[in-house]
Amino acid sequence: MASMMQPQIILLKEGTDTSQGKAQLLSNINAVTAVGDVVRTTLGPRGMDKLIHDDKGSVTISNDGATIMKLLDIVHPAAKILVDIAKSQDSEVGDGTTTVVLLAAEFLKEAKPFVEDGVHSQNLIRSYRTASTLAIEKVKELAVSIEGKSVEEKKGLLAKCAATTLSSKLIGGEKEFFATMVVDAVMAIGDDDRLNLIGIKKVPGGNMRDSFLVDGVAFKKTFSYAGFEQQPKKFDNPKILLLNIELELKSEKENAEIRLSDPSQYQSIVDAEWNIIYDKLDKCVESGAKVVLSRLAIGDLATQYFADRDIFCAGRVAEQDLNRVAAAAGGTVQTSVLGTCEIFEEKQVGGERFNIFSGCPSGRTATIVLRGGADQFIEEAERSLHDAIMIVRRAVKNSTVVPGGGAIDVIPRQLCDNAGFDATDVLNKLRQKHAMQSGEGASYGVDINTGGIADSFANFVWEPAVVKINAINAATEAACLILSVDETVKNPKSESAQGDAAAGAMGRGRGGGRGRGMRRR
């Protein structure tokens, strides 16, 4: 009787939503499985694309797992973990984003019956981590090193890895053409890890075969003033001046004032301004530079001044492009530093004019000029090339590859389903090959062209081992994380906090801050 009279202990704020126990765990598994089903059909060379449009009207067509996961705007807290592992896979290795999502979803789908039968989730977690360790050891055992090859042999092997990545993309029909381009771009930057040294410029129009690689830097012609037409558009072995200063007459800053005691002093001030700009221009010419680039504006006076002296100039150059020119030409962007290149020219690409610097002595940069029809197509092609570039960079760094086509992981069934083949028949053949005691069948995977199986190594369907290792690690950790959650607590929004925020916004709207142009008293 005394125990019945004890008051109820309230730990959480009124309105807090709590879910716990087996039902909560199964709910999380169902949410993750549902997300996996969304991207399932995008896997492989015969995967379908997703068309996603948002409330702003922008349309994205893609079969890239990381892109789709970011655009889905998932709100379920457990399912958001899949978004995180897709982003992690994309930033770490660049490819395998769909694979990692499907693996995590499949791991949890297989765990669901055990959870329903009362198996403790910690036992499942322990088993998954053990299986992950064994699987990664097996991947390393099957991996083949490409170290010790000649440069040409290595480029050929890397092109096979890039072609495997591109085969499942929208530009898969031209995978050999772009794979060679990607390998050349990656080899151009050498051991440098900065991805921004490889520029991708998009020019609508033409077809994919009109795309080309610049062994150097290329960027769209910047805004120019009168006199630009008179400047030369091509130089051999020019000196390049990279500036971070303005070459134009500027009006006084806000609230600036000059007090004169004699009206005749005004002309001396005007003369001083002209002398400053002409002094800068004279120094540019005396440096011997034939190409002048600046991150800031180059005005009409400077443009005509350079044109009269057969010097090319471009102002308001994007900082990233200017830094890439500095890396390629052997200079540093300061107030006055010179670099050089073998050939500079301005030429027409589609409907755009491009400034192209090639044959740079320091190398270490490349630019892919991408052509195509619709804007959505070019955007997807850029994402595809990004994945291929990341894969080749990882293959260069890690130098071990494994057979693709489902020979390594647990996704051959989905590859068959997406291609319209009989998955049961193909899987039976694969299991028979993989079970061979000699180990000769370990490299067999799904043959997308015939609907049977084939030696993925012999068919040059290769992937860097790091892609599979990272995917297995990330998917296992995601599955274990979700299995370890036994309760979800959703806190209600505080009405007082909302009121305070609204009051603060109203206060700022009524002029709580000082205006820009107000003078202090």
Side-chain angles (χ1 to χ4, degrees):
M1 188 69 178
S3 62
M4 292 176 63
M5 297 297 293
Q6 289 180 351
Q8 184 178 2
I9 299 175
I10 300 176
L11 295 176
L12 302 175
K13 187 180 291 186
E14 186 178 356
T16 301
D17 180 28
T18 61
S19 303
Q20 57 184 326
K22 185 191 295 185
Q24 173 59 33
L25 182 54
L26 292 175
S27 172
N28 289 343
I29 292 175
N30 290 336
V32 171
T33 305
V35 173
D37 289 339
V38 172
V39 299
R40 190 178 296 275
T41 57
T42 67
L43 184 72
R46 298 292 185 269
M48 306 298 286
D49 297 329
K50 303 293 181 185
L51 188 151
I52 304 170
H53 62 93
D54 57 21
D55 54 357
K56 297 177 183 176
S58 62
V59 176
T60 304
I61 300 175
S62 179
N63 71 350
D64 179 62
T67 303
I68 294 170
M69 295 299 288
K70 280 187 285 189
L71 294 175
L72 282 180
D73 197 18
I74 295 170
V75 296
H76 193 282
K80 279 185 176 180
I81 295 172
L82 293 191
V83 180
D84 294 336
I85 64 170
K87 288 180 180 178
S88 168
Q89 181 79 4
D90 188 46
S91 62
E92 185 67 24
V93 292
D95 196 24
T97 51
T98 304
T99 299
V100 73
V101 172
L102 291 185
L103 282 177
E106 203 65 27
F107 289 168
L108 291 169
K109 184 178 177 182
E110 293 298 320
K112 185 178 176 181
F114 294 98
V115 174
E116 291 173 333
D117 291 342
V119 177
H120 198 284
S121 58
Q122 286 298 332
N123 291 333
L124 297 174
I125 291 170
R126 195 180 308 116
S127 301
Y128 271 131
R129 285 189 172 145
T130 302
S132 171
T133 302
L134 295 173
I136 290 172
E137 288 176 359
K138 189 66 176 177
V139 170
K140 291 178 179 177
E141 179 186 324
L142 295 172
V144 175
S145 175
I146 59 174
E147 278 291 342
K149 307 285 185 183
S150 67
V151 175
E152 288 303 316
E153 282 182 312
K154 197 166 187 178
K155 287 175 71 173
L157 298 176
L158 293 172
K160 302 299 182 187
C161 292
T164 302
T165 298
L166 293 172
S167 64
S168 64
K169 308 296 184 184
L170 205 59
I171 57 176
E174 301 288 352
K175 62 182 180 182
E176 286 83 9
F177 174 74
F178 283 108
T180 304
M181 190 182 295
V182 165
V183 172
D184 289 341
V186 172
M187 299 299 277
I189 66 173
D191 296 329
D192 204 312
D193 284 332
R194 291 175 293 171
L195 191 61
N196 58 9
L197 290 178
I198 300 177
I200 300 179
K201 304 298 179 182
K202 296 166 285 187
V203 183
N207 58 51
M208 289 186 293
R209 282 273 175 177
D210 293 332
S211 304
F212 60 92
L213 175 70
V214 175
D215 186 16
V217 182
F219 55 84
K220 290 181 184 178
K221 172 181 169 296
T222 59
F223 175 79
S224 57
Y225 291 92
F228 177 80
E229 300 80 6
Q230 303 168 28
Q231 295 178 352
K233 300 299 186 289
K234 184 173 181 178
F235 294 101
D236 292 330
N237 298 309
K239 289 184 178 178
I240 304 167
L241 185 61
L242 307 174
L243 300 175
N244 194 23
I245 58 174
E246 292 174 319
L247 293 177
E248 67 175 347
L249 291 168
K250 297 294 291 182
S251 60
E252 293 80 3
K253 296 293 184 183
E254 191 176 6
N255 295 333
E257 63 178 37
I258 301 174
R259 297 188 179 186
L260 303 175
S261 58
D262 184 354
S264 62
Q265 293 177 341
Y266 178 74
Q267 187 60 43
S268 64
I269 294 170
V270 174
D271 292 340
E273 288 182 324
W274 284 90
N275 289 335
I276 289 170
I277 183 70
Y278 273 118
D279 184 54
K280 291 179 181 177
L281 297 176
D282 289 339
K283 282 185 168 61
C284 292
V285 174
E286 289 167 7
S287 71
K290 284 296 184 182
V291 178
V292 179
L293 305 179
S294 179
R295 190 176 66 84
L296 302 176
I298 296 180
D300 51 356
L301 170 69
T303 301
Q304 187 62 57
Y305 184 93
F306 288 134
D308 293 340
R309 290 156 180 79
D310 291 333
I311 296 174
F312 176 91
C313 69
R316 296 191 178 95
V317 178
E319 186 172 4
Q320 184 176 356
D321 289 330
L322 201 63
N323 289 335
R324 288 174 56 233
V325 173
T332 306
V333 181
Q334 293 181 0
T335 53
S336 56
V337 171
L338 288 171
T340 186
C341 67
E342 284 183 12
I343 299 175
F344 164 78
E345 64 178 325
E346 180 177 298
K347 70 176 187 179
Q348 193 78 20
V349 180
E352 303 281 354
R353 297 288 293 176
F354 264 74
N355 298 328
I356 298 176
F357 302 79
S358 55
C360 301
S362 297
R364 302 208 315 269
T365 187
T367 306
I368 297 173
V369 180
L370 195 56
R371 305 294 309 281
D375 289 339
Q376 291 90 348
F377 177 85
I378 299 180
E379 294 288 341
E380 175 63 6
E382 182 187 21
R383 287 189 286 268
S384 302
L385 289 180
H386 170 267
D387 289 355
I389 289 168
M390 290 289 290
I391 283 297
V392 173
R393 286 175 69 224
R394 290 299 172 190
V396 169
K397 293 290 183 185
N398 295 279
S399 69
T400 55
V401 296
V402 293
I408 292 294
D409 37 32
V410 293
I411 57 171
R413 179 185 297 278
Q414 195 59 48
L415 290 174
C416 295
D417 289 342
N418 290 352
F421 300 144
D422 182 358
T424 304
D425 181 48
V426 174
L427 285 177
N428 285 337
K429 292 178 181 177
L430 266 185
R431 289 192 181 102
Q432 183 183 1
K433 279 289 184 183
H434 289 178
M436 293 174 62
Q437 295 295 326
S438 62
E440 294 177 359
S443 61
Y444 273 72
V446 179
D447 189 339
I448 293 297
N449 297 317
T450 64
I453 62 173
D455 189 334
S456 296
F457 251 126
N459 287 347
F460 304 111
V461 182
W462 301 346
E463 296 181 76
V466 67
V467 174
K468 299 301 181 186
I469 292 172
N470 203 78
I472 293 171
N473 263 328
T476 303
E477 287 304 316
C480 292
L481 182 60
I482 291 170
L483 286 172
S484 67
V485 175
D486 69 341
E487 182 173 4
T488 301
V489 180
K490 184 178 180 182
N491 291 325
K493 290 183 178 178
S494 170
E495 293 182 4
S496 60
Q498 286 182 329
D500 293 343
M506 289 176 66
R508 289 191 296 273
R510 289 173 180 163
R514 185 181 296 274
R516 275 187 66 195
M518 294 176 65
R519 298 184 61 181
R520 298 175 182 268
R521 292 187 179 273

